[in-house]
Amino acid sequence: QLVLTQSPSASASLGASVKLTCTLSSGHSSYAIAWHQQQPEKGPRYLMKLNSDGSHSKGDGIPDRFSGSSSGAERYLTISSLQSEDEADYYCQTWGTDIRVFGGGTKLTVL
Amino acid sequence: EVQLVESGGGLVQPGGSLRLSCAASGFSFSSYWMSWVRQAPGKGLEWVANIKQDGNEKYYADSVKGRFTISRDNAKNSLYLQMNSLRAEDTAIYYCARELTPYPGPLDYWGQGTLVTVSS
């Protein structure tokens, strides 16, 4: 079964960097994922598609502060130079021919 | 500029029906798969259904299969979700989203959502 696992929460200081993790279920380590950001009271926003080799392509207007990387079944989102507006929920998403799957989301607090 | 605007949400009694719409603009609507995704209050995102460019291929989450029907009208640049036999657990904000080509791929644009409340 295709499942994505995320830690429920993370925190980091203003101006620092943070690395969020999304883990693919056993047998699915070759899958690409996407990262989405959801600021409070807003719809989600697509950040990037992240492949198993770590290559990634970002959505329109996504700042260079957002980057992605991969290792085995783990997919990472790194946000550098944290700003207050980065405080949001971050969801990873993957897909098969007939299904779309979301991780449970990570709530990022900027201290 | 890509825009997706949902409408049709509201309060409905358990067992009732509702039809959601999503108006698309700023891109060639007929060239993309489209999805519906929902978010229950205080919860995460849950994919509901998607539909191929010509409407001839559709997929549903198990939680809505047999109760919800996704459709589209390419002439009107519109996506729809017909929801029947609604339950309290269907209460959520419903988002429409575009699927990045080539298929299958991530959802790359989202609307702002429309709230559906199922309650007596």
Side-chain angles (χ1 to χ4, degrees), chain A residues 33-34 36 38 41-46 48-49 57 60 89 91 93 95-104, chain B residues 33 35 37 39 43-47 50 57 59-60 95 99-100 102-112:
Chain A
I33 71 154
H36 303 277
Q38 187 177 31
E41 308 305 318
K42 290 191 173 182
R45 176 191 185 193
Y46 170 69
M48 69 181 69
K49 177 185 176 184
S57 56
D60 294 338
D89 294 324
Y91 293 92
Q93 178 228 332
W95 51 87
T97 302
D98 59 352
I99 192 171
R100 302 290 175 268
V101 176
F102 289 93
Chain B
W33 281 74
S35 265
V37 176
Q39 185 171 34
K43 303 295 185 183
L45 300 171
E46 179 190 17
W47 174 74
N50 69 349
E57 199 169 334
Y59 298 104
Y60 298 90
Y95 299 100
E99 301 216 0
L100 188 63
Y103 183 88
L107 307 175
D108 71 337
Y109 280 96
W110 299 72
Q112 286 302 299

CSV table of all heavy atoms in Angstrom, one decimal, chain A residues 33-34 36 38 41-46 48-49 57 60 89 91 93 95-104, chain B residues 33 35 37 39 43-47 50 57 59-60 95 99-100 102-112:
chain,number,residue,atom,x,y,z
A,33,ILE,N,7.7,12.5,-5.6
A,33,ILE,CA,6.7,13.1,-4.8
A,33,ILE,C,6.5,14.6,-5.2
A,33,ILE,O,7.3,15.1,-6.0
A,33,ILE,CB,6.9,13.0,-3.3
A,33,ILE,CG1,8.1,13.9,-2.9
A,33,ILE,CG2,7.2,11.6,-2.8
A,33,ILE,CD1,8.1,14.4,-1.5
A,34,ALA,N,5.6,15.3,-4.6
A,34,ALA,CA,5.5,16.7,-4.7
A,34,ALA,C,5.4,17.3,-3.3
A,34,ALA,O,4.9,16.6,-2.3
A,34,ALA,CB,4.2,17.1,-5.5
A,36,HIS,N,3.7,20.5,-1.1
A,36,HIS,CA,2.8,21.6,-1.1
A,36,HIS,C,2.8,22.3,0.2
A,36,HIS,O,3.0,21.7,1.3
A,36,HIS,CB,1.3,21.0,-1.3
A,36,HIS,CG,1.2,20.2,-2.6
A,36,HIS,ND1,0.9,20.8,-3.8
A,36,HIS,CD2,1.2,18.9,-2.8
A,36,HIS,CE1,0.8,19.8,-4.7
A,36,HIS,NE2,1.0,18.7,-4.1
A,38,GLN,N,0.6,25.0,2.7
A,38,GLN,CA,-0.7,25.5,3.0
A,38,GLN,C,-0.6,26.5,4.2
A,38,GLN,O,-0.4,26.1,5.3
A,38,GLN,CB,-1.7,24.5,3.3
A,38,GLN,CG,-3.1,25.0,3.5
A,38,GLN,CD,-4.2,24.0,3.7
A,38,GLN,OE1,-3.9,22.9,4.3
A,38,GLN,NE2,-5.4,24.2,3.2
A,41,GLU,N,-5.6,29.4,6.8
A,41,GLU,CA,-6.8,29.8,6.1
A,41,GLU,C,-6.7,30.0,4.6
A,41,GLU,O,-7.4,30.8,4.0
A,41,GLU,CB,-7.2,31.2,6.7
A,41,GLU,CG,-7.4,31.1,8.2
A,41,GLU,CD,-8.3,30.0,8.7
A,41,GLU,OE1,-9.3,29.8,8.1
A,41,GLU,OE2,-7.9,29.4,9.7
A,42,LYS,N,-5.7,29.4,4.0
A,42,LYS,CA,-5.5,29.4,2.5
A,42,LYS,C,-5.6,28.1,1.9
A,42,LYS,O,-5.4,27.0,2.6
A,42,LYS,CB,-4.2,30.1,2.2
A,42,LYS,CG,-4.2,31.6,2.5
A,42,LYS,CD,-2.9,32.2,1.9
A,42,LYS,CE,-2.9,33.7,2.1
A,42,LYS,NZ,-1.7,34.4,1.4
A,43,GLY,N,-5.8,28.0,0.6
A,43,GLY,CA,-5.7,26.8,-0.2
A,43,GLY,C,-4.2,26.4,-0.3
A,43,GLY,O,-3.3,27.2,-0.2
A,44,PRO,N,-4.0,25.1,-0.6
A,44,PRO,CA,-2.6,24.7,-0.8
A,44,PRO,C,-1.9,25.3,-2.0
A,44,PRO,O,-2.6,25.8,-2.9
A,44,PRO,CB,-2.7,23.2,-1.0
A,44,PRO,CG,-4.1,22.8,-0.5
A,44,PRO,CD,-4.9,24.0,-0.7
A,45,ARG,N,-0.6,25.3,-2.0
A,45,ARG,CA,0.2,25.9,-3.0
A,45,ARG,C,1.3,24.9,-3.4
A,45,ARG,O,2.0,24.4,-2.5
A,45,ARG,CB,0.8,27.2,-2.6
A,45,ARG,CG,1.8,27.9,-3.5
A,45,ARG,CD,2.5,29.0,-2.8
A,45,ARG,NE,3.4,29.8,-3.7
A,45,ARG,CZ,4.3,30.6,-3.2
A,45,ARG,NH1,4.5,30.8,-1.9
A,45,ARG,NH2,5.0,31.3,-4.1
A,46,TYR,N,1.4,24.6,-4.6
A,46,TYR,CA,2.4,23.6,-5.1
A,46,TYR,C,3.8,24.2,-5.0
A,46,TYR,O,4.0,25.3,-5.5
A,46,TYR,CB,2.1,23.3,-6.6
A,46,TYR,CG,3.1,22.5,-7.3
A,46,TYR,CD1,3.4,21.1,-7.0
A,46,TYR,CD2,3.8,23.0,-8.4
A,46,TYR,CE1,4.4,20.4,-7.7
A,46,TYR,CE2,4.7,22.3,-9.1
A,46,TYR,CZ,5.0,21.0,-8.8
A,46,TYR,OH,5.9,20.3,-9.5
A,48,MET,N,7.0,22.0,-5.4
A,48,MET,CA,7.9,21.4,-6.3
A,48,MET,C,7.6,19.9,-6.5
A,48,MET,O,6.9,19.3,-5.7
A,48,MET,CB,9.4,21.5,-5.8
A,48,MET,CG,9.6,20.7,-4.6
A,48,MET,SD,11.3,20.8,-4.0
A,48,MET,CE,11.3,22.5,-3.4
A,49,LYS,N,8.1,19.4,-7.6
A,49,LYS,CA,8.1,17.9,-7.8
A,49,LYS,C,9.5,17.5,-7.5
A,49,LYS,O,10.5,18.1,-8.0
A,49,LYS,CB,7.7,17.6,-9.3
A,49,LYS,CG,7.8,16.1,-9.6
A,49,LYS,CD,7.5,15.8,-11.1
A,49,LYS,CE,7.7,14.4,-11.4
A,49,LYS,NZ,7.5,14.1,-12.8
A,57,SER,N,11.9,20.1,-9.8
A,57,SER,CA,11.4,21.2,-10.6
A,57,SER,C,10.3,22.0,-9.8
A,57,SER,O,9.4,21.4,-9.3
A,57,SER,CB,10.8,20.7,-11.9
A,57,SER,OG,9.8,19.8,-11.7
A,60,ASP,N,5.7,27.8,-10.2
A,60,ASP,CA,5.8,29.2,-10.6
A,60,ASP,C,6.0,30.1,-9.4
A,60,ASP,O,5.2,30.0,-8.4
A,60,ASP,CB,4.6,29.6,-11.4
A,60,ASP,CG,4.5,28.9,-12.7
A,60,ASP,OD1,5.5,28.4,-13.2
A,60,ASP,OD2,3.3,28.9,-13.3
A,89,ASP,N,1.5,24.7,7.0
A,89,ASP,CA,1.5,23.2,7.0
A,89,ASP,C,2.1,22.8,5.6
A,89,ASP,O,1.8,23.4,4.6
A,89,ASP,CB,0.1,22.7,7.1
A,89,ASP,CG,-0.6,22.9,8.4
A,89,ASP,OD1,0.2,22.9,9.4
A,89,ASP,OD2,-1.8,23.2,8.5
A,91,TYR,N,2.7,19.5,3.0
A,91,TYR,CA,2.2,18.2,2.7
A,91,TYR,C,3.1,17.6,1.6
A,91,TYR,O,3.3,18.3,0.6
A,91,TYR,CB,0.8,18.3,2.2
A,91,TYR,CG,-0.2,18.6,3.3
A,91,TYR,CD1,-0.6,20.0,3.5
A,91,TYR,CD2,-0.8,17.6,4.1
A,91,TYR,CE1,-1.5,20.3,4.5
A,91,TYR,CE2,-1.7,18.0,5.1
A,91,TYR,CZ,-2.0,19.3,5.3
A,91,TYR,OH,-2.9,19.6,6.3
A,93,GLN,N,3.0,14.6,-1.4
A,93,GLN,CA,2.0,14.0,-2.2
A,93,GLN,C,2.7,13.1,-3.2
A,93,GLN,O,3.7,13.4,-3.8
A,93,GLN,CB,1.1,15.0,-2.9
A,93,GLN,CG,0.0,14.4,-3.9
A,93,GLN,CD,0.0,15.1,-5.2
A,93,GLN,OE1,0.4,16.2,-5.4
A,93,GLN,NE2,-0.5,14.3,-6.2
A,95,TRP,N,1.7,9.7,-6.3
A,95,TRP,CA,0.7,9.3,-7.2
A,95,TRP,C,1.0,7.9,-7.9
A,95,TRP,O,2.1,7.5,-8.0
A,95,TRP,CB,0.5,10.3,-8.3
A,95,TRP,CG,1.8,10.7,-9.0
A,95,TRP,CD1,2.4,10.1,-10.1
A,95,TRP,CD2,2.7,11.7,-8.5
A,95,TRP,NE1,3.6,10.7,-10.3
A,95,TRP,CE2,3.8,11.7,-9.4
A,95,TRP,CE3,2.7,12.7,-7.5
A,95,TRP,CZ2,4.9,12.6,-9.3
A,95,TRP,CZ3,3.7,13.6,-7.4
A,95,TRP,CH2,4.8,13.5,-8.3
A,96,GLY,N,-0.1,7.3,-8.3
A,96,GLY,CA,-0.1,6.1,-9.1
A,96,GLY,C,-1.1,6.4,-10.3
A,96,GLY,O,-1.6,7.5,-10.4
A,97,THR,N,-1.3,5.4,-11.1
A,97,THR,CA,-2.2,5.6,-12.3
A,97,THR,C,-3.6,6.0,-11.8
A,97,THR,O,-4.2,6.8,-12.4
A,97,THR,CB,-2.2,4.3,-13.1
A,97,THR,OG1,-0.9,4.0,-13.5
A,97,THR,CG2,-3.1,4.5,-14.3
A,98,ASP,N,-4.0,5.4,-10.7
A,98,ASP,CA,-5.4,5.5,-10.4
A,98,ASP,C,-5.6,6.0,-8.9
A,98,ASP,O,-6.7,5.9,-8.3
A,98,ASP,CB,-6.2,4.2,-10.5
A,98,ASP,CG,-5.6,3.1,-9.7
A,98,ASP,OD1,-4.5,3.3,-9.1
A,98,ASP,OD2,-6.2,2.0,-9.6
A,99,ILE,N,-4.6,6.7,-8.4
A,99,ILE,CA,-4.6,7.1,-7.0
A,99,ILE,C,-3.7,8.3,-6.8
A,99,ILE,O,-2.7,8.4,-7.4
A,99,ILE,CB,-4.3,5.9,-6.0
A,99,ILE,CG1,-4.6,6.3,-4.6
A,99,ILE,CG2,-2.8,5.6,-6.2
A,99,ILE,CD1,-4.5,5.1,-3.6
A,100,ARG,N,-4.1,9.1,-5.8
A,100,ARG,CA,-3.3,10.2,-5.4
A,100,ARG,C,-3.2,10.0,-3.8
A,100,ARG,O,-4.2,9.8,-3.2
A,100,ARG,CB,-3.9,11.6,-5.7
A,100,ARG,CG,-4.1,11.8,-7.2
A,100,ARG,CD,-2.8,11.9,-7.9
A,100,ARG,NE,-2.9,12.1,-9.3
A,100,ARG,CZ,-2.9,11.0,-10.2
A,100,ARG,NH1,-2.8,9.8,-9.7
A,100,ARG,NH2,-3.1,11.2,-11.5
A,101,VAL,N,-2.0,10.2,-3.3
A,101,VAL,CA,-1.8,10.0,-1.8
A,101,VAL,C,-1.2,11.2,-1.2
A,101,VAL,O,-0.2,11.7,-1.8
A,101,VAL,CB,-1.0,8.7,-1.6
A,101,VAL,CG1,-0.7,8.6,-0.1
A,101,VAL,CG2,-1.7,7.5,-2.1
A,102,PHE,N,-1.6,11.6,-0.1
A,102,PHE,CA,-1.0,12.7,0.7
A,102,PHE,C,-0.4,12.2,2.0
A,102,PHE,O,-1.0,11.3,2.6
A,102,PHE,CB,-2.0,13.8,1.0
A,102,PHE,CG,-2.5,14.6,-0.2
A,102,PHE,CD1,-3.6,14.2,-0.9
A,102,PHE,CD2,-1.8,15.7,-0.6
A,102,PHE,CE1,-4.0,15.0,-2.0
A,102,PHE,CE2,-2.2,16.5,-1.7
A,102,PHE,CZ,-3.3,16.1,-2.4
A,103,GLY,N,0.7,12.8,2.4
A,103,GLY,CA,1.1,12.5,3.8
A,103,GLY,C,0.3,13.3,4.7
A,103,GLY,O,-0.6,14.1,4.4
A,104,GLY,N,0.4,13.0,6.0
A,104,GLY,CA,-0.4,13.7,7.0
A,104,GLY,C,-0.1,15.1,7.3
A,104,GLY,O,-0.9,15.8,8.0
B,33,TRP,N,-5.7,16.6,-17.0
B,33,TRP,CA,-6.4,15.9,-16.0
B,33,TRP,C,-6.7,16.9,-14.8
B,33,TRP,O,-5.9,17.8,-14.6
B,33,TRP,CB,-5.6,14.8,-15.4
B,33,TRP,CG,-5.5,13.6,-16.2
B,33,TRP,CD1,-4.8,13.4,-17.4
B,33,TRP,CD2,-6.1,12.3,-15.9
B,33,TRP,NE1,-4.9,12.1,-17.8
B,33,TRP,CE2,-5.7,11.4,-17.0
B,33,TRP,CE3,-7.0,11.8,-14.9
B,33,TRP,CZ2,-6.2,10.1,-17.0
B,33,TRP,CZ3,-7.4,10.5,-15.0
B,33,TRP,CH2,-7.0,9.6,-16.0
B,35,SER,N,-8.5,17.2,-10.7
B,35,SER,CA,-8.8,16.5,-9.4
B,35,SER,C,-9.6,17.3,-8.5
B,35,SER,O,-9.6,18.5,-8.5
B,35,SER,CB,-7.5,16.1,-8.7
B,35,SER,OG,-7.0,14.9,-9.0
B,37,VAL,N,-9.9,17.5,-4.3
B,37,VAL,CA,-9.3,17.1,-3.0
B,37,VAL,C,-10.1,17.8,-1.9
B,37,VAL,O,-10.5,18.9,-2.0
B,37,VAL,CB,-7.8,17.6,-3.0
B,37,VAL,CG1,-7.1,17.3,-1.6
B,37,VAL,CG2,-7.0,16.9,-4.1
B,39,GLN,N,-10.6,18.6,2.6
B,39,GLN,CA,-9.9,18.7,3.8
B,39,GLN,C,-10.9,18.9,4.9
B,39,GLN,O,-11.5,20.0,5.0
B,39,GLN,CB,-8.9,19.9,3.8
B,39,GLN,CG,-8.0,20.1,5.0
B,39,GLN,CD,-7.0,21.2,4.8
B,39,GLN,OE1,-7.2,22.2,4.1
B,39,GLN,NE2,-5.8,21.0,5.4
B,43,LYS,N,-8.0,18.9,9.7
B,43,LYS,CA,-7.3,17.6,9.3
B,43,LYS,C,-6.5,17.9,8.0
B,43,LYS,O,-6.4,19.0,7.5
B,43,LYS,CB,-8.4,16.6,9.0
B,43,LYS,CG,-9.3,16.2,10.2
B,43,LYS,CD,-8.5,15.6,11.3
B,43,LYS,CE,-9.5,15.2,12.4
B,43,LYS,NZ,-8.7,14.6,13.6
B,44,GLY,N,-5.9,16.8,7.5
B,44,GLY,CA,-5.0,16.9,6.4
B,44,GLY,C,-5.8,16.8,5.1
B,44,GLY,O,-7.0,16.8,5.0
B,45,LEU,N,-5.0,16.7,4.0
B,45,LEU,CA,-5.6,16.7,2.6
B,45,LEU,C,-6.0,15.2,2.3
B,45,LEU,O,-5.2,14.3,2.6
B,45,LEU,CB,-4.6,17.3,1.6
B,45,LEU,CG,-4.2,18.7,1.9
B,45,LEU,CD1,-3.1,19.1,0.9
B,45,LEU,CD2,-5.4,19.6,1.6
B,46,GLU,N,-7.1,15.1,1.6
B,46,GLU,CA,-7.5,13.7,1.1
B,46,GLU,C,-8.0,13.9,-0.3
B,46,GLU,O,-8.9,14.6,-0.6
B,46,GLU,CB,-8.7,13.2,2.0
B,46,GLU,CG,-9.2,11.9,1.5
B,46,GLU,CD,-10.5,11.4,2.2
B,46,GLU,OE1,-11.2,12.3,2.8
B,46,GLU,OE2,-10.8,10.2,2.1
B,47,TRP,N,-7.3,13.1,-1.2
B,47,TRP,CA,-7.7,13.1,-2.6
B,47,TRP,C,-9.1,12.4,-2.7
B,47,TRP,O,-9.4,11.4,-2.1
B,47,TRP,CB,-6.7,12.4,-3.4
B,47,TRP,CG,-7.1,12.1,-4.8
B,47,TRP,CD1,-7.1,13.1,-5.8
B,47,TRP,CD2,-7.5,10.9,-5.4
B,47,TRP,NE1,-7.5,12.5,-7.0
B,47,TRP,CE2,-7.7,11.1,-6.8
B,47,TRP,CE3,-7.7,9.6,-4.9
B,47,TRP,CZ2,-8.1,10.2,-7.7
B,47,TRP,CZ3,-8.1,8.6,-5.8
B,47,TRP,CH2,-8.3,8.9,-7.2
B,50,ASN,N,-10.4,12.0,-9.7
B,50,ASN,CA,-9.8,12.8,-10.8
B,50,ASN,C,-10.4,12.3,-12.2
B,50,ASN,O,-11.1,11.3,-12.2
B,50,ASN,CB,-8.3,12.8,-10.9
B,50,ASN,CG,-7.7,11.4,-11.2
B,50,ASN,OD1,-8.4,10.4,-11.2
B,50,ASN,ND2,-6.4,11.4,-11.4
B,57,GLU,N,-12.1,8.8,-18.6
B,57,GLU,CA,-11.4,8.0,-17.6
B,57,GLU,C,-11.5,8.7,-16.3
B,57,GLU,O,-11.2,9.9,-16.2
B,57,GLU,CB,-9.9,7.8,-18.0
B,57,GLU,CG,-9.2,6.7,-17.3
B,57,GLU,CD,-7.9,6.4,-18.0
B,57,GLU,OE1,-7.7,6.7,-19.2
B,57,GLU,OE2,-7.0,5.9,-17.3
B,59,TYR,N,-11.2,8.2,-11.8
B,59,TYR,CA,-10.8,7.4,-10.6
B,59,TYR,C,-11.3,8.1,-9.3
B,59,TYR,O,-11.5,9.3,-9.3
B,59,TYR,CB,-9.3,7.3,-10.6
B,59,TYR,CG,-8.7,6.6,-11.8
B,59,TYR,CD1,-8.1,7.3,-12.8
B,59,TYR,CD2,-8.9,5.2,-11.9
B,59,TYR,CE1,-7.5,6.7,-13.9
B,59,TYR,CE2,-8.3,4.6,-13.0
B,59,TYR,CZ,-7.7,5.3,-14.0
B,59,TYR,OH,-7.2,4.7,-15.1
B,60,TYR,N,-11.6,7.2,-8.3
B,60,TYR,CA,-12.2,7.7,-7.1
B,60,TYR,C,-11.5,7.1,-5.9
B,60,TYR,O,-11.1,6.0,-5.9
B,60,TYR,CB,-13.7,7.3,-7.0
B,60,TYR,CG,-14.6,7.9,-8.1
B,60,TYR,CD1,-14.8,7.3,-9.3
B,60,TYR,CD2,-15.2,9.2,-7.9
B,60,TYR,CE1,-15.6,7.9,-10.3
B,60,TYR,CE2,-16.0,9.8,-8.9
B,60,TYR,CZ,-16.2,9.1,-10.1
B,60,TYR,OH,-16.9,9.7,-11.1
B,95,TYR,N,-11.4,21.3,-2.7
B,95,TYR,CA,-10.6,22.0,-3.6
B,95,TYR,C,-10.6,21.3,-4.9
B,95,TYR,O,-10.5,20.1,-5.0
B,95,TYR,CB,-9.1,22.1,-3.1
B,95,TYR,CG,-8.9,22.7,-1.7
B,95,TYR,CD1,-8.8,22.0,-0.6
B,95,TYR,CD2,-8.8,24.1,-1.7
B,95,TYR,CE1,-8.6,22.6,0.6
B,95,TYR,CE2,-8.6,24.7,-0.4
B,95,TYR,CZ,-8.5,24.0,0.7
B,95,TYR,OH,-8.3,24.6,1.9
B,99,GLU,N,-3.8,18.8,-12.6
B,99,GLU,CA,-2.7,17.8,-12.6
B,99,GLU,C,-1.7,18.1,-13.6
B,99,GLU,O,-2.0,18.3,-14.8
B,99,GLU,CB,-3.3,16.4,-12.8
B,99,GLU,CG,-4.3,16.0,-11.8
B,99,GLU,CD,-4.3,14.5,-11.4
B,99,GLU,OE1,-3.5,13.8,-12.0
B,99,GLU,OE2,-5.1,14.1,-10.6
B,100,LEU,N,-0.4,18.2,-13.2
B,100,LEU,CA,0.7,18.5,-14.0
B,100,LEU,C,0.9,17.4,-15.1
B,100,LEU,O,0.8,16.2,-14.7
B,100,LEU,CB,2.0,18.6,-13.2
B,100,LEU,CG,3.2,19.2,-13.9
B,100,LEU,CD1,3.0,20.6,-14.4
B,100,LEU,CD2,4.4,19.1,-12.9
B,102,PRO,N,3.4,15.3,-17.8
B,102,PRO,CA,2.6,14.2,-18.2
B,102,PRO,C,2.0,13.4,-17.1
B,102,PRO,O,2.4,13.4,-16.0
B,102,PRO,CB,3.6,13.3,-18.9
B,102,PRO,CG,4.9,13.6,-18.2
B,102,PRO,CD,4.9,15.0,-17.8
B,103,TYR,N,0.8,12.8,-17.4
B,103,TYR,CA,0.1,12.0,-16.4
B,103,TYR,C,0.8,10.7,-16.2
B,103,TYR,O,1.2,10.0,-17.1
B,103,TYR,CB,-1.3,11.8,-16.9
B,103,TYR,CG,-2.2,11.1,-15.9
B,103,TYR,CD1,-2.9,11.8,-15.0
B,103,TYR,CD2,-2.4,9.7,-16.0
B,103,TYR,CE1,-3.7,11.2,-14.1
B,103,TYR,CE2,-3.2,9.1,-15.0
B,103,TYR,CZ,-3.8,9.8,-14.1
B,103,TYR,OH,-4.7,9.1,-13.2
B,104,PRO,N,0.8,10.1,-14.9
B,104,PRO,CA,0.3,10.8,-13.7
B,104,PRO,C,1.4,11.7,-13.1
B,104,PRO,O,2.6,11.5,-13.3
B,104,PRO,CB,0.0,9.6,-12.8
B,104,PRO,CG,1.0,8.6,-13.2
B,104,PRO,CD,1.2,8.7,-14.7
B,105,GLY,N,0.9,12.7,-12.4
B,105,GLY,CA,1.9,13.6,-11.8
B,105,GLY,C,1.3,14.4,-10.7
B,105,GLY,O,0.2,14.1,-10.2
B,106,PRO,N,2.0,15.4,-10.2
B,106,PRO,CA,1.5,16.1,-9.0
B,106,PRO,C,0.4,17.1,-9.4
B,106,PRO,O,0.2,17.4,-10.6
B,106,PRO,CB,2.8,16.9,-8.6
B,106,PRO,CG,3.6,17.1,-9.8
B,106,PRO,CD,3.3,15.8,-10.6
B,107,LEU,N,-0.2,17.7,-8.4
B,107,LEU,CA,-1.2,18.7,-8.5
B,107,LEU,C,-0.5,20.0,-8.5
B,107,LEU,O,0.2,20.3,-7.5
B,107,LEU,CB,-2.3,18.6,-7.4
B,107,LEU,CG,-2.9,17.3,-7.2
B,107,LEU,CD1,-3.8,17.2,-6.0
B,107,LEU,CD2,-3.7,16.9,-8.5
B,108,ASP,N,-0.6,20.8,-9.6
B,108,ASP,CA,0.3,22.0,-9.6
B,108,ASP,C,-0.4,23.3,-9.5
B,108,ASP,O,0.2,24.4,-9.3
B,108,ASP,CB,1.2,22.0,-10.9
B,108,ASP,CG,0.4,22.3,-12.2
B,108,ASP,OD1,-0.9,22.0,-12.1
B,108,ASP,OD2,1.0,22.7,-13.1
B,109,TYR,N,-1.7,23.3,-9.5
B,109,TYR,CA,-2.5,24.6,-9.2
B,109,TYR,C,-3.7,24.2,-8.4
B,109,TYR,O,-4.4,23.1,-8.7
B,109,TYR,CB,-2.9,25.3,-10.4
B,109,TYR,CG,-1.7,26.2,-11.0
B,109,TYR,CD1,-0.9,25.7,-12.0
B,109,TYR,CD2,-1.5,27.5,-10.4
B,109,TYR,CE1,0.1,26.5,-12.5
B,109,TYR,CE2,-0.4,28.2,-10.9
B,109,TYR,CZ,0.4,27.7,-11.9
B,109,TYR,OH,1.4,28.5,-12.4
B,110,TRP,N,-4.1,25.0,-7.4
B,110,TRP,CA,-5.2,24.7,-6.6
B,110,TRP,C,-6.1,25.9,-6.5
B,110,TRP,O,-5.7,27.1,-6.6
B,110,TRP,CB,-4.7,24.5,-5.1
B,110,TRP,CG,-3.8,23.3,-4.9
B,110,TRP,CD1,-2.5,23.2,-5.3
B,110,TRP,CD2,-4.1,22.1,-4.2
B,110,TRP,NE1,-2.0,22.0,-4.8
B,110,TRP,CE2,-3.0,21.3,-4.2
B,110,TRP,CE3,-5.3,21.6,-3.6
B,110,TRP,CZ2,-2.9,20.0,-3.6
B,110,TRP,CZ3,-5.2,20.4,-3.0
B,110,TRP,CH2,-4.1,19.6,-3.0
B,111,GLY,N,-7.4,25.6,-6.3
B,111,GLY,CA,-8.4,26.7,-6.0
B,111,GLY,C,-8.3,27.1,-4.5
B,111,GLY,O,-7.5,26.5,-3.7
B,112,GLN,N,-9.2,28.0,-4.1
B,112,GLN,CA,-9.3,28.4,-2.7
B,112,GLN,C,-10.3,27.5,-1.9
B,112,GLN,O,-10.3,27.6,-0.7
B,112,GLN,CB,-9.7,29.9,-2.6
B,112,GLN,CG,-8.5,30.8,-3.0
B,112,GLN,CD,-7.3,30.6,-2.2
B,112,GLN,OE1,-7.3,30.7,-1.0
B,112,GLN,NE2,-6.2,30.2,-2.8
